[in-house]
Amino acid sequence: MKSVKETLLDRVSIRRYEREAIPAETMTLIREAVRNTPTSYNGQQFSVIEIDDQPLKEELYAITNQKQLKTCNRLLIFVSDYNKISLLAKAKNLQMPSFTDTMDGVTIGIIDASLAMMSAVVAAESCGLGCNCIGYLRTADPAKIAELLHLPKGVFVVCGLALGIPREHPDLKPKQPESLVFHSNRYRGDTAEMTEELAAYDNRVSEYNKTRAGGTSDNDWCAHIIDYYDHAMGYEILQYLKNQGYDVKK
């Protein structure tokens, strides 16, 4: 098993996997790590759909064009879930408030599911598995994916996680320096200095993309990410949330 340092600092996104199955004891560890995730109020406002059915993985691949969905050994889909507590509240004749109609309700479900996914990533990486977090499962065709996964009201996809025995080891991507990530006691106000540091990071990403193993590009960081934002402006996530019972009003 890898050390904590290796697990966290050597992590890379893996998109190519061996056909070898994941050991049962490794999946048990991952599930236990997910179950022990810290959540808001200990409300555990999330669930995980574990997929090993190849035809279903290929249907999801056809929607997203993310090859790791069909080549991974196991796919975990993390969802925000208020269905479980609503079911028990009904059985106990308790009035369930319209918490899913608030931004806080939506946010808590997303945070809980995201923390659970990171628990799975750390557990999987520590055992030598390769992982890839797939946000496009949330946005590619949310209504169709909700139908495929039989998601009831109160449940929506937050993110997917592909798992498998790694068949590649990509170069470690450069991340923002500590000075841009950590702020001491308050958010930094030195915008000129921060802009200069961001420009230096942008150049590092450009150089990485020009020289990395496994396919190069001319992408920088800033324009490339803004291009993603532009594309995401077309997502109809609010309507999807309403379809899943999250009628956000405040």
Side-chain angles (χ1 to χ4, degrees):
M1 184 171 283
K2 293 181 182 178
S3 69
V4 173
K5 182 177 180 179
E6 289 175 310
T7 298
L8 294 176
L9 301 188
D10 293 342
R11 186 208 63 79
V12 293
S13 294
I14 301 296
R15 293 175 174 82
R16 298 176 68 234
Y17 306 93
E18 303 288 356
R19 294 184 181 275
E20 183 181 349
I22 298 172
E25 60 270 23
T26 300
M27 287 307 307
T28 297
L29 173 63
I30 292 169
R31 293 185 196 110
E32 288 301 296
V34 167
R35 288 181 57 245
N36 197 42
T37 296
T39 62
S40 298
Y41 322 124
N42 193 36
Q44 302 158 77
Q45 288 90 190
F46 77 94
S47 288
V48 187
I49 299 169
E50 185 176 327
I51 300 174
D52 61 3
D53 180 73
Q54 191 61 31
L56 177 55
K57 287 192 290 180
E58 299 207 7
E59 281 191 85
L60 293 169
Y61 161 72
I63 293 171
T64 62
N65 199 34
Q66 301 286 301
K67 64 182 179 183
Q68 58 271 39
L69 291 176
K70 65 176 180 178
T71 60
C72 68
N73 179 261
R74 203 68 55 97
L75 174 64
L76 306 182
I77 299 182
F78 293 80
V79 298
S80 172
D81 188 351
Y82 287 94
N83 178 60
K84 292 183 290 188
I85 195 165
S86 297
L87 287 174
L88 185 57
K90 182 178 180 181
K92 297 183 71 171
N93 293 316
L94 297 173
Q95 180 64 41
M96 182 70 182
S98 301
F99 193 46
T100 54
D101 293 350
T102 69
M103 270 306 300
D104 194 39
V106 174
T107 302
I108 282 173
I110 292 172
I111 291 172
D112 284 2
S114 300
L115 288 171
M117 183 176 68
M118 198 60 208
S119 294
V121 168
V122 172
E125 291 276 350
S126 73
C127 294
L129 293 185
C131 304
N132 183 244
C133 302
I134 308 168
Y136 202 39
L137 278 167
R138 183 186 71 255
T139 56
D141 188 343
K144 180 62 177 177
I145 290 175
E147 178 186 342
L148 284 173
L149 301 180
H150 297 190
L151 302 185
K153 299 290 186 183
V155 179
F156 70 87
V157 171
V158 173
C159 199
L161 179 65
L163 298 173
I165 309 297
R167 199 175 187 178
E168 62 178 359
H169 191 81
D171 295 336
L172 193 64
K173 290 181 178 179
K175 302 294 185 180
Q176 291 178 10
E178 185 176 311
S179 59
L180 284 173
V181 177
F182 290 89
H183 302 253
S184 180
N185 296 316
R186 60 175 179 81
Y187 195 89
R188 287 173 58 187
D190 50 349
T191 55
E193 183 179 335
M194 186 182 292
T195 301
E196 185 176 332
E197 290 180 48
L198 286 165
Y201 172 69
D202 198 55
N203 289 333
R204 280 189 62 211
V205 173
S206 295
E207 188 60 28
Y208 164 83
N209 285 326
K210 290 174 184 175
T211 59
R212 67 181 181 180
T216 60
S217 76
D218 293 326
N219 292 334
D220 64 358
W221 174 72
C222 187
H224 187 56
I225 299 304
I226 286 175
D227 187 56
Y228 278 122
Y229 295 164
D230 281 335
H231 180 72
M233 294 294 288
Y235 298 153
E236 297 291 339
I237 300 301
L238 185 59
Q239 185 57 53
Y240 165 60
L241 288 177
K242 289 181 178 179
N243 293 343
Q244 291 303 118
Y246 291 73
D247 191 10
V248 183
K249 295 182 174 68
K250 60 181 179 178

